[in-house]
Amino acid sequence: MPIAVLVSGRGSNLGAILDAVEKKYITKGEVRVVVSNKPSVGALEIAKKHHVPTVVLDDRGLPKMDAEYDKKTIATLEAHGVNSTDGLVALAGYFRILSPHFVEKYHHRIMNVHPALLPSFPGLEAQKRALEHGVKVAGATVHFVANEVDAGPIILQAHVPVRDNDTAETLSERILRQEHRIYPEAVRLFTEGKLKIHGKRVIFT
Ligand code: GRF
């Protein structure tokens, strides 16, 4: 299955997916292109190290959601063989909101990873807000993308304890280790055709 990864920054989840392909944990999927909305980010270096084509679609000055911008992204995905009929789009630290056209075209073929146990703490700075809220258990979620931000059918979740001396940084690191475990797992399950969606629920087959 052709995969595109959309990124905006550091790229550690991209790295985890590429490692999983290289180590043959993911055998039925291939990352065909990495698309970044920011030039010179770490994710682009990681893609290059793994010999994956990269495309920068600079979004400077554009709104966070922009249907015209997304049309360029879709054209880029299609040019690399990541089609809405048989491809997968993995958002990995992608700080843009997809337009309804994009989400509907790639219906249930777009995944995202979020550093919280959704539906708690959607949006930015989820780890900091979880800590401030005083939760004792935090975690990570991989989900299909729906039109609402950080909503959509949940594929996998992993929990971590919150420790008394945690800062947003230490909690984020603990959660990130789980993201790196469950994101490749979700990609593997999807590329092997093992995920079925019933309403909001994802069933493993
Ligand atoms: C991760 O914490 C992810 O959950 C969130 O953005 C961060 C991206 O990190 N959506 P990286 O770029 O994958 O290192």
Side-chain angles (χ1 to χ4, degrees), residues 23-205:
K23 291 187 178 138
K24 305 213 181 305
Y25 175 71
I26 295 168
T27 56
K28 300 239 158 76
E30 187 188 32
V31 180
R32 295 275 177 86
V33 64
V34 170
V35 184
S36 174
N37 62 318
K38 300 269 172 251
S40 330
V41 290
L44 292 167
E45 294 310 311
I46 291 173
K48 283 176 192 150
K49 205 179 85 196
H50 288 263
H51 311 290
V52 175
T54 58
V55 175
V56 175
L57 297 174
D58 198 332
D59 67 348
R60 234 169 312 174
L62 294 178
K64 274 253 158 297
M65 184 166 85
D66 187 305
E68 287 308 310
Y69 176 89
D70 283 355
K71 279 185 191 157
K72 287 189 210 154
T73 307
I74 292 169
T76 304
L77 303 187
E78 288 177 341
H80 288 83
V82 184
N83 296 302
S84 56
T85 45
D86 60 357
L88 168 65
V89 180
L91 311 184
Y94 187 60
F95 295 113
R96 291 191 56 78
I97 297 170
L98 303 188
S99 57
H101 171 69
F102 193 167
V103 174
E104 279 147 31
K105 186 174 169 74
Y106 283 80
H107 183 64
H108 289 162
R109 304 193 80 89
I110 309 175
M111 280 183 194
N112 182 41
V113 63
H114 183 72
L117 293 172
L118 292 172
S120 292
F121 308 110
L124 294 173
E125 298 195 317
Q127 307 95 321
K128 179 167 172 271
R129 286 184 291 122
L131 201 57
E132 283 166 1
H133 200 94
V135 300
K136 298 296 185 195
V137 177
T141 302
V142 179
H143 62 94
F144 285 110
V145 170
N147 272 327
E148 208 184 324
V149 174
D150 295 329
I154 290 171
I155 303 166
L156 289 172
Q157 292 187 301
H159 66 275
V160 302
V162 177
R163 305 205 194 283
D164 289 346
N165 58 355
D166 263 334
T167 61
E169 287 70 35
T170 58
L171 180 59
S172 298
E173 276 167 32
R174 194 173 308 123
I175 293 171
L176 194 63
R177 283 199 290 277
Q178 297 304 316
E179 295 181 35
H180 295 165
R181 189 174 65 76
I182 64 174
Y183 210 176
E185 186 179 352
V187 170
R188 179 172 68 89
L189 290 167
F190 186 73
T191 53
E192 291 180 358
K194 292 191 173 144
L195 302 180
K196 293 281 166 285
I197 303 169
H198 297 298
K200 271 282 212 184
R201 300 186 68 195
V202 177
I203 311 291
F204 303 110
T205 58

